[in-house]
Amino acid sequence: MSDQVLIESELIRLSTALDEASQEYMVLCRVAAEKRDAYELAKAKAMLKATGSNADTRRAEVVSICADLMTASHIAEAQRDGMKERLRALSDVLNALQTRAAFVREEMKLAGRFN
């Protein structure tokens, strides 16, 4: 198989992967926002109900009450951030491969002229 055919095949694969990752990223952004909102709302409600004698005690009480939502929010945000990095990496590889494809086309043009 020629370089050009291999590169074209890889370009298609990477373009598809980038499109799928973009769609997944949009979903992860929404999930992260929803989980953050749920955590912030629960945190606000817990702060209103906190009964500790000082600010540190009340904050600890709020964290204890909201621990599961806080963890879910942090995990969702980490997943979103991880997908964002995957998108960047896929984009970088795709750009590099597009540059390589351009070089191969130029090499083929030159070989056609001088052979």
Side-chain angles (χ1 to χ4, degrees), residues 5-109:
V5 172
L6 289 172
I7 290 171
E8 283 296 321
S9 174
E10 188 64 3
L11 282 170
I12 292 168
R13 186 190 73 75
L14 286 170
S15 294
T16 300
L18 186 61
D19 184 54
E20 289 170 358
S22 294
Q23 297 300 318
E24 188 175 345
Y25 178 67
M26 289 170 45
V27 170
L28 290 173
C29 285
R30 181 179 181 91
V31 168
E34 289 170 350
K35 289 189 182 286
R36 171 58 80 167
D37 288 349
Y39 163 58
E40 292 294 336
L41 180 60
K43 183 176 163 184
K45 288 179 180 180
M47 286 178 127
L48 291 172
K49 293 178 183 178
T51 58
S53 58
N54 62 43
D56 288 338
T57 303
R58 288 190 298 276
R59 275 193 290 274
E61 187 178 330
V62 167
V63 168
S64 176
I65 291 168
C66 300
D68 291 344
L69 290 172
M70 179 182 66
T71 300
S73 175
H74 290 163
I75 289 170
E77 289 169 354
Q79 289 172 329
R80 178 202 60 208
D81 294 346
M83 182 54 71
K84 186 175 185 178
E85 290 305 313
R86 176 165 167 66
L87 280 169
R88 283 188 186 140
L90 281 169
S91 181
D92 290 347
V93 172
L94 186 58
N95 287 334
L97 195 58
Q98 288 169 333
T99 300
R100 176 69 182 129
F103 285 140
V104 167
R105 281 191 301 275
E106 288 302 314
E107 287 174 352
M108 290 173 66
K109 285 181 189 176

